[in-house]
Amino acid sequence: MVDDMQKLVNYCKANGFMYQGSEIYGGLANTWDYGPLGTRLKNNIKDAWRKRYIQERDNSYEIDAAILMHPRVWEASGHVSSFYDPKIDCKRCKTRFRADNFITEISKGKVNGDSLKFEEINDYIRENNVKCPVCGEHDFTDVRKFSQMFETYRGTVDDKKSIIYLRPENAQGEYVNFLNVQRTTRSKLPFSIGQIGKAFRNEITPGNFTFRTIEFEQMEFQTFCKKGKDSEIYEYFKEYAKKFFKDLGIAEENLRFHNHDKLAHYAKEACDIEYKFPFGWGEINGTHNRTDYDLSRHQQFSGKNMSYTDSESNEKYIPYIIESTIGVDRAVLAVLSDAYQEEILENNEKRIVLKINPYIAPYKVAILPLTKKQTEEAKTIYKALSLEFMCLFDESGSIGKRYRRQDEIGTPYCITVDYDTLEDKKVTIRDRDTMQQERINVSDIKDVILKRIKKFEV
Ligand code: GAP
């Protein structure tokens, strides 16, 4: 795994996984653009999630709800009143800090800023004569609320009445469609609605690369169930998410559960899965028992009856919701952090290799003609394999250098077309991790690769 975040940032930029957002304008803080490799990897992880959470499960349905929702949705959800960070500003250098994290850092972890009230944070700063880490002055504003919701206006009038919000989570799209999905799929409880989509949060805390961004993607999964079944389903989905990460190829020792001490306003039970990033443990999944809070609130704010009627007993009730959400960008970051390796080979050469699960690797195969004399044959093989896999064609540089390039971006298999291929209709297949080579028939390449990748299927 990678030992330094900056190394991973450099690696991702150099190889086309991610680039700084709006780079040619000096960048926009906490935004990142996915390049060709990053986009492939992200899509492969989303596809693996779809397979695991929607396709392989009974009674699970995917939706794609609008990002812009009725503003009352966010009043009902509690976001308008409660979704804020405590902030303080240095009056001298104007640097803004998220106050709770600031206290935890300044006190070197002795005080948990998260557990303090606003007044207590103000007192701590005053009594300990806390200095701004940027300019060294002790001159802060009091703690204030900083809404994490991005506001925009619909129509042409910029006034309070026309405010709409960029959604800060996908979940509400699933909740407001609960009755629609239940009715149109004729589902009985428990059933689940999943969604992959963008969310937006006006984050103050610096990002740690793509770990904390102002625009990110979530893979959300909401299971609607009867009260009484909720805790069992909650425990089940905690383990289900952990298994998903392990199957993506993340080492188990780099994953841990973290139960919340302080519960969100809607939660009865809450637990994160954290990954051991180079900067420390960080949340990549959250599983919450949200009780009947969300649907009850939507019933109250919309005036629409959100109860479910049990078709056998005729009992009517508002279901409980178990939510298990994975951040797509954090999953990508965890997979990359875990797979990155530097090896010293027998000849003392350093090899950077991305030992990523072949099933989610951006490219599955690279086709390499040994010399330009084999280009035509290699192109024919490349075209045929491209019907099945994401393939790369590379004919520039020595074969050793080309292997290294593929190792670095995690391509699990290289096919080398050499002098003998025209005669014996065989090629060499090289394995990224073992570096072992084997001679196989051209006609068998597709099946050999399919069989090897199948072993890693998520
Ligand atoms: N609907 C529940 C919800 O949104 P959350 O714990 O706030 O819960 C879920 O977010 C997941 O979304 C997190 O586990 C994390 O992976 C991801 N996430 C949250 N904020 C993020 C941010 N600013 N940047 C990138 N990913 C983020």
Side-chain angles (χ1 to χ4, degrees):
M1 66 181 286
V2 74
D3 51 7
D4 172 35
M5 207 57 189
Q6 194 52 46
K7 192 188 276 178
L8 190 65
V9 176
N10 297 344
Y11 163 85
C12 285
K13 285 184 177 173
N15 287 294
F17 280 95
M18 290 91 153
Y19 316 113
Q20 174 67 61
S22 314
E23 193 175 69
I24 61 167
Y25 287 93
L28 177 67
N30 291 352
T31 65
W32 295 91
D33 296 339
Y34 283 80
L37 287 176
T39 305
R40 289 291 334 143
L41 175 58
K42 188 167 154 169
N43 286 337
N44 291 346
I45 290 177
K46 290 196 278 188
D47 288 345
W49 180 90
R50 266 194 187 102
K51 179 167 177 289
R52 184 59 64 84
Y53 278 81
I54 307 289
Q55 180 184 325
E56 291 178 6
R57 298 191 57 78
D58 290 341
N59 267 346
S60 297
Y61 305 95
E62 186 178 1
I63 64 164
D64 186 6
I67 286 176
L68 301 175
M69 302 181 78
H70 196 291
R72 293 276 284 165
V73 168
W74 305 111
E75 288 171 32
S77 69
H79 282 84
V80 170
S81 57
S82 316
F83 197 53
Y84 59 80
D85 280 336
K87 65 155 189 182
I88 49 165
D89 293 303
C90 171
K91 289 194 209 160
R92 297 290 171 94
C93 70
K94 311 288 180 221
T95 307
R96 175 161 291 172
F97 301 93
R98 194 175 137 168
D100 48 353
N101 292 352
F102 183 60
I103 299 296
T104 310
E105 274 160 34
I106 286 285
S107 69
K108 299 203 166 57
K110 285 192 200 113
V111 180
N112 176 8
D114 196 31
S115 63
L116 300 185
K117 299 199 180 89
F118 279 20
E119 260 325 297
E120 290 170 328
I121 294 178
N122 291 336
D123 290 347
Y124 184 92
I125 288 174
R126 239 187 331 268
E127 283 159 19
N128 292 280
N129 195 27
V130 171
K131 303 249 177 6
C132 170
V134 178
C135 70
E137 294 297 326
H138 168 77
D139 193 4
F140 292 100
T141 60
D142 277 350
V143 184
R144 285 175 291 181
K145 286 182 181 179
F146 179 78
S147 173
Q148 281 191 262
M149 300 256 279
F150 276 109
E151 291 177 4
T152 186
Y153 302 94
R154 73 170 295 176
T156 48
V157 192
D158 295 2
D159 65 8
K160 279 266 171 222
K161 279 192 213 125
S162 56
I163 283 183
I164 47 175
Y165 302 96
L166 297 189
R167 69 180 176 203
E169 63 169 8
N170 292 358
Q172 302 305 324
E174 286 110 90
Y175 303 155
V176 299
N177 280 297
F178 157 67
L179 286 175
N180 283 335
V181 175
Q182 192 272 323
R183 180 174 46 80
T184 49
T185 59
R186 297 186 301 283
S187 289
K188 291 187 177 156
L189 260 51
F191 80 96
S192 311
I193 306 180
Q195 175 168 223
I196 299 180
K198 290 244 175 177
F200 305 83
R201 292 183 192 174
N202 203 356
E203 300 275 7
I204 312 175
T205 321
N208 270 326
F209 196 18
T210 54
F211 182 79
R212 194 178 301 284
T213 49
I214 53 179
E215 172 185 341
F216 55 97
E217 254 182 304
Q218 295 181 314
M219 304 186 282
E220 295 242 55
F221 196 73
Q222 318 287 338
T223 301
F224 301 84
C225 65
K226 189 171 183 180
K227 181 179 176 182
K229 297 266 180 225
D230 51 311
S231 289
E232 187 189 321
I233 294 176
Y234 166 78
E235 291 300 331
Y236 172 86
F237 277 111
K238 275 168 55 180
E239 295 295 338
Y240 199 79
K242 189 163 177 210
K243 179 159 186 331
F244 178 68
F245 287 122
K246 280 185 350 196
D247 291 347
L248 286 181
I250 296 178
E252 182 159 16
E253 67 264 25
N254 294 330
L255 295 167
R256 73 175 186 193
F257 286 121
H258 168 72
N259 285 313
H260 287 206
D261 307 325
K262 196 172 136 191
L263 291 172
H265 58 276
Y266 50 76
K268 171 175 155 190
E269 303 163 280
C271 179
D272 298 336
I273 294 175
E274 296 182 334
Y275 175 76
K276 197 177 183 184
F277 288 102
F279 57 80
W281 290 96
E283 175 193 341
I284 53 177
N285 155 266
T287 301
H288 306 123
N289 181 344
R290 298 181 72 127
T291 68
D292 57 0
Y293 174 84
D294 300 278
L295 294 181
S296 304
R297 292 277 291 188
H298 285 304
Q299 175 165 295
Q300 184 190 338
F301 279 70
S302 68
K304 173 103 181 156
N305 185 351
M306 298 299 280
S307 340
Y308 165 81
T309 308
D310 187 308
S311 56
E312 275 148 39
S313 66
N314 249 341
E315 194 187 347
K316 285 188 192 331
Y317 56 89
I318 294 193
Y320 267 42
I321 297 174
I322 305 302
E323 162 182 76
S324 195
T325 299
I326 295 173
V328 179
D329 310 84
R330 290 187 189 180
V332 171
L333 194 61
V335 163
L336 284 172
S337 303
D338 223 64
Y340 179 97
Q341 297 199 15
E342 290 173 8
E343 292 177 352
I344 302 296
L345 301 175
E346 275 171 15
N347 60 2
N348 267 338
E349 213 183 285
K350 185 167 116 181
R351 161 171 111 125
I352 295 176
V353 51
L354 192 71
K355 289 197 170 166
I356 195 169
N357 175 346
Y359 186 76
I360 56 167
Y363 288 97
K364 305 293 184 249
V365 202
I367 295 76
L368 318 173
L370 191 61
T371 71
K372 301 267 187 229
K373 288 194 181 115
Q374 291 86 33
T375 296
E376 204 182 313
E377 182 68 9
K379 275 258 156 86
T380 309
I381 294 174
Y382 167 72
K383 287 236 158 73
L385 289 181
S386 294
L387 299 176
E388 193 69 43
F389 312 106
M390 283 301 294
C391 300
L392 278 169
F393 185 86
D394 187 4
E395 58 179 351
S396 61
S398 73
I399 193 74
K401 280 211 175 98
R402 283 185 270 162
Y403 283 150
R404 291 288 165 278
R405 277 205 286 268
Q406 297 307 322
D407 290 344
E408 186 159 345
I409 62 170
T411 310
Y413 309 109
C414 286
I415 298 288
T416 310
V417 182
D418 60 25
Y419 295 105
D420 295 330
T421 304
L422 293 180
E423 300 299 320
D424 64 5
K425 299 287 172 220
K426 285 178 191 269
V427 289
T428 304
I429 181 165
R430 174 187 178 272
D431 183 281
R432 176 195 69 199
D433 297 347
T434 62
M435 292 188 283
Q436 288 195 339
Q437 305 190 8
E438 210 182 302
R439 203 118 179 110
I440 59 169
N441 291 324
V442 170
S443 55
D444 292 339
I445 305 175
K446 184 179 119 186
D447 289 342
V448 168
I449 294 173
L450 276 176
K451 204 166 145 199
R452 291 191 186 184
I453 291 175
K454 184 86 186 150
K455 284 195 243 149
F456 299 99
E457 186 170 343
V458 178

